[in-house]
Amino acid sequence: SQTIHQWPATLVQPVGSPLSLECTVEGTSNPNLYWYRQAAGRGLQLLFYSVGIGQISSEVPQNLSASRPQDRQFILSSKKLLLSDSGFYLCAWSSQVAGELFFGEGSRLTVL
Amino acid sequence: TQLLEQSPQFLSIQEGENLTVYCNSSSVFSSLQWYRQEPGEGPVLLVTVVTGGEVKKLKRLTFQFGDARKDSSLHITAAQPGDTGLYLCADPSTSGTYKYIFGTGTRLKVLA
């Protein structure tokens, strides 16, 4: 069966520090991969999506970046965090266009 | 840019009551998905509707897709505390792309 894992689950970082969130999918090949950010109790903001290795589409201009070094690995990064980067980050995958979107457990980031 | 507005934003009701939440778009949906998210977890797919006027039932939940495919509703009959969560609608193929755009969300709390 397919599974998705993301880590770390929780982190507290000072302003100006770097960030790396990692997401891996198991049990499937060539998934479409997504990074979302969610403010408390609100909807999901699409940050990046990828349909293949090295193919990244950015939805929101900001100080975040994403990379897909392997087929089932998706990384969200920042060189210098801002206070406004705080939030709940969710990685997700789908196997087909407009199919079900499967989410990871989420990573809660607090920037102080 | 497509906007998905959900209403109401918050809803607190007593166990056994009925409720309806709405999802409206500025553009026509090719299809529409409803997800439910519990605190600290990723959203989970409830249903996908594809055809204008379509009605789908999932136990006490009834989903309706507008005839013009620009709106959808979710009706819960005899709500239970287990229905508590954040309900999100999503367009799974915005503008024919691989993007999943989510609505603003409705936070439901069912009191015992």
Side-chain angles (χ1 to χ4, degrees), chain B residues 3 9 13 15 23-24 28-32 38 53 55-56 65 74 77 80 92 102 105:
Chain B
L3 298 174
Q9 184 176 350
I13 62 172
E15 182 177 5
C23 174
N24 291 281
V28 174
F29 293 107
S30 54
S31 61
L32 183 138
E38 299 191 11
V55 177
K56 282 191 173 180
F65 202 13
L74 159 58
T77 302
Q80 299 178 0
F102 282 80

Side-chain angles (χ1 to χ4, degrees), chain A residues 25-85:
Chain A
V25 180
E26 299 177 356
T28 188
S29 59
N30 198 30
N32 299 320
L33 296 172
Y34 303 82
W35 278 112
Y36 287 89
R37 178 169 60 199
Q38 184 175 33
R42 301 307 306 274
L44 278 62
Q45 179 187 32
L46 179 61
L47 302 176
F48 302 94
Y49 68 98
S50 172
V51 300
I53 296 174
Q55 301 179 57
I56 308 295
S57 296
S58 175
E59 288 300 297
V60 183
Q62 55 204 338
N63 68 321
L64 300 173
S65 62
S67 62
R68 185 171 177 172
Q70 301 181 45
D71 181 46
R72 292 171 292 171
Q73 183 184 27
F74 206 23
I75 298 172
L76 182 69
S77 303
S78 174
K79 293 182 179 179
K80 290 185 177 182
L81 285 168
L82 307 173
L83 287 173
S84 57
D85 291 324

Side-chain angles (χ1 to χ4, degrees), chain B residues 2 22 31 61 68 74 79 91:
Chain B
Q2 182 185 33
Y22 301 91
S31 61
L61 278 60
L74 159 58
D91 180 350

Side-chain angles (χ1 to χ4, degrees), chain B residues 57-71:
Chain B
K57 292 190 175 183
L58 182 65
K59 298 183 180 178
R60 294 175 293 99
L61 278 60
T62 302
F63 304 86
Q64 186 160 6
F65 202 13
D67 291 339
R69 292 188 290 123
K70 294 186 70 175
D71 59 271

